[in-house]
Amino acid sequence: MRHRRPGASIGEPHSGLADEAEGYLLAHAQHDQARCEAEDLCALMPWLTTAQAEEVVGHYVRRRLDVTRQLLLATARRADELRQEYEARYSDLRRALLRRHAAVACALLPCAVGAGALAGLFTR
């Protein structure tokens, strides 16, 4: 189920290209942030050679992106589970409300018929 993007007008079609661009930019930002963190870490270890520092940076970035990917996938799975739970609950509540309205309508119909019959008797 696709949802409207925040700020998009109701008649505006959903753009998959915008989602891809947003995902690319978020992934690129995560990569840049991980690289900066790795470089800061390597700066605290001045005894590393340039090759060793690059190896540490590469390893850190890969590991950090793997962890981020796992967290995002777990969050997406949980969001989907919650959406399904809320949709099921909403459907149950909607059915219960419909049953109540039908019961009230069934109870009011004989009352209305009776009131109409009484009104007809009193007007004669």
Side-chain angles (χ1 to χ4, degrees), residues 23-41 57-58 60-62 64-65 68:
Y24 173 79
L25 292 173
L26 288 172
H28 193 68
Q30 285 292 317
H31 184 272
D32 288 347
Q33 184 179 2
R35 185 159 193 80
C36 286
E37 290 172 7
E39 288 170 353
D40 289 345
L41 176 66
V57 167
Y60 182 90
V61 168
R62 281 189 303 279
R64 167 79 188 286
L65 293 179
T68 301

Side-chain angles (χ1 to χ4, degrees), residues 2 21 31 34 38 40 43 45 50 60 74-75 88 99 103 109 115 122:
R2 303 292 303 216
H31 184 272
D40 289 345
M45 298 183 275
T50 304
Y60 182 90
T75 301
R99 280 194 304 271
L109 184 60
F122 289 132

Side-chain angles (χ1 to χ4, degrees), residues 44-86:
L44 297 174
M45 298 183 275
W47 60 87
L48 293 177
T49 65
T50 304
Q52 290 171 331
E54 283 301 315
E55 187 177 336
V56 168
V57 167
H59 179 70
Y60 182 90
V61 168
R62 281 189 303 279
R63 183 65 185 133
R64 167 79 188 286
L65 293 179
D66 287 343
V67 169
T68 301
R69 185 177 300 108
Q70 290 169 0
L71 289 172
L72 288 174
L73 289 173
T75 301
R77 271 194 303 276
R78 182 63 181 143
D80 190 47
E81 291 170 4
L82 287 173
R83 181 186 54 78
Q84 290 173 1
E85 289 175 21
Y86 286 132

